[in-house]
Amino acid sequence: MDQSQLSRYLPLTCTGHSRPVTHLSFSNIYENGSYLMISACKDGAPMLRDGVTGDWIGTFTGHKGAVWSARFSADAELAITASADFTAKVWDTNSGSIIASYGHNHIVRTAAFVPSYSQTQFCVTAGNEKKIRIWDLNREESAPAVMEWVGAEGTIKSALWVEQSVIITAGDDKCMKWWDLRTSDKLVDSVTLDGPISQMEERKGIVTVAAGCAVYTFDALDRTPVKKQALDYNASTVSIHPSRKKFATGSTNDTWVRIHDFSTGAVLDTLKGHHGPVHSISYSPDGQLCASGGEDGTIRLWKSETGAYGLWK
């Protein structure tokens, strides 16, 4: 079965949000093959779901403004959210309780944990202040960030912690920047892309980013470009399949999810179902489905591989 035939499977629609979905991310896979999904939304109520079926598990209650980003710790015991209420909050994913709330002086657009199963207490935040901050959960909540520096000329909209000491940031100034926390000036490399950057993704050592009418992939650590794929539309979000054979995009200019061949850039399929622009895309960690979040307030799960899976029989 080729990619276009997969579109005969109806997407699973996850409702519950009352405003646009701004960001989606998955946890790592548990030993039993299951995984979780978390969604950020302008309604200020991030939601936890079963990643395979999309079933609602719970809502994290506590933000007083739009939530722009939501991610898990490596073991998925914690989640971190970035909000327009000038806070980033760390949550216990089992109880739903707030573990820490870090105040900022402006909107927080992105947050992420260190990618370690043994040192999940460290997290990074950034946003409209143009500053990058490192926090330690083992310190008092009122304690200042353990590190803080100006990291951009515009709003920082995405931060990835890709290795124990390496962070990548990007945003409205069109620049991707690599930071090494072991160095005195921290900045080790930067590259200017074709347009403002809203979201980045790291998967198996490859960073994928949409900027303007192009999708870029880089080696996360040695910073070398892997591929630039020109598009005939403006992509705002992108996710690469774990096999690296295809990638999915969303755009703020239409309502479609497009699946591209990674090698050639050819459009393999166009998935239609959202009733507004698509703000976030993410393949599941096993590559069996692709999740999209849109202006219409829904999350849609699209089947990505052949055979029975989850609720698709």
Side-chain angles (χ1 to χ4, degrees):
M1 181 183 296
D2 62 27
Q3 174 67 40
S4 62
Q5 291 177 290
L6 287 170
S7 59
R8 73 178 188 179
Y9 291 95
L10 293 176
L12 305 178
T13 302
C14 307
T15 58
H17 284 302
S18 60
R19 296 199 64 202
V21 177
T22 56
H23 188 233
L24 297 168
S25 61
F26 288 100
S27 71
N28 291 321
I29 301 177
Y30 293 109
E31 290 184 359
N32 64 3
S34 66
Y35 50 88
L36 299 172
M37 177 175 66
I38 189 170
S39 55
C41 182
K42 288 185 178 180
D43 62 11
M47 290 186 178
L48 182 70
R49 296 179 183 271
D50 182 301
V52 176
T53 64
D55 290 340
W56 177 85
I57 296 174
T59 300
F60 298 106
T61 303
H63 278 299
K64 297 179 180 180
V67 178
W68 289 102
S69 170
R71 288 195 177 99
F72 292 104
S73 60
D75 58 9
E77 292 295 310
L78 303 175
I80 188 167
T81 53
S83 175
D85 66 6
F86 294 17
T87 71
K89 297 187 188 298
V90 177
W91 310 82
D92 183 314
T93 57
N94 294 293
S95 67
S97 60
I98 298 173
I99 292 176
S101 182
Y102 296 121
H104 295 65
N105 298 317
H106 211 312
I107 293 169
V108 189
R109 292 298 299 260
T110 182
F113 289 103
V114 60
S116 167
Y117 284 88
S118 60
Q119 293 184 320
T120 56
Q121 77 267 26
F122 293 106
C123 53
V124 58
T125 63
N128 286 30
E129 287 184 86
K130 309 172 189 176
K131 292 181 178 180
I132 301 166
R133 292 181 173 92
I134 307 297
W135 306 89
D136 184 349
L137 282 170
N138 288 340
R139 302 178 71 187
E140 292 292 328
E141 186 177 328
S142 58
V146 295
M147 291 185 183
E148 178 181 327
W149 69 95
V150 175
E153 295 180 2
T155 297
I156 300 172
K157 291 186 174 178
S158 186
L160 300 174
W161 203 323
V162 296
E163 201 264 346
Q164 201 70 24
S165 62
V166 178
I167 292 169
I168 305 173
T169 60
D172 282 348
D173 62 4
K174 305 180 184 180
C175 288
M176 284 181 67
K177 295 182 178 180
W178 279 260
W179 309 89
D180 191 328
L181 304 184
R182 299 168 297 186
T183 63
S184 57
D185 58 0
K186 298 181 181 63
L187 182 64
V188 293
D189 204 356
S190 66
V191 59
T192 301
L193 304 184
D194 288 348
I197 301 161
S198 297
Q199 294 178 16
M200 297 185 293
E201 175 193 78
E202 188 272 332
R203 193 187 296 271
K204 296 181 178 179
I206 296 295
V207 176
T208 310
V209 56
C213 293
V215 166
Y216 299 81
T217 47
F218 295 86
D219 186 287
L221 296 181
D222 71 19
R223 310 182 299 279
T224 56
V226 176
K227 183 183 277 292
K228 175 184 176 180
Q229 197 66 256
L231 307 173
D232 60 3
Y233 62 93
N234 189 26
S236 57
T237 179
V238 62
S239 180
I240 192 170
H241 190 272
S243 69
R244 298 186 191 172
K245 293 182 179 179
K246 56 188 176 183
F247 63 89
T249 64
S251 174
T252 57
N253 294 333
D254 57 40
T255 64
W256 302 342
V257 173
R258 294 176 176 85
I259 310 298
H260 290 260
D261 182 277
F262 180 74
S263 297
T264 66
V267 177
L268 302 175
D269 202 0
T270 302
L271 308 177
K272 301 177 182 180
H274 280 290
H275 301 291
V278 178
H279 297 305
S280 186
I281 288 278
S282 184
Y283 275 107
S284 62
D286 59 5
Q288 290 290 330
L289 59 86
C290 180
S292 59
E295 182 75 17
D296 59 9
T298 68
I299 301 163
R300 295 178 190 263
L301 306 182
W302 310 87
K303 200 171 190 309
S304 180
E305 299 296 327
T306 59
Y309 186 78
L311 299 179
W312 290 289
K313 304 301 181 183

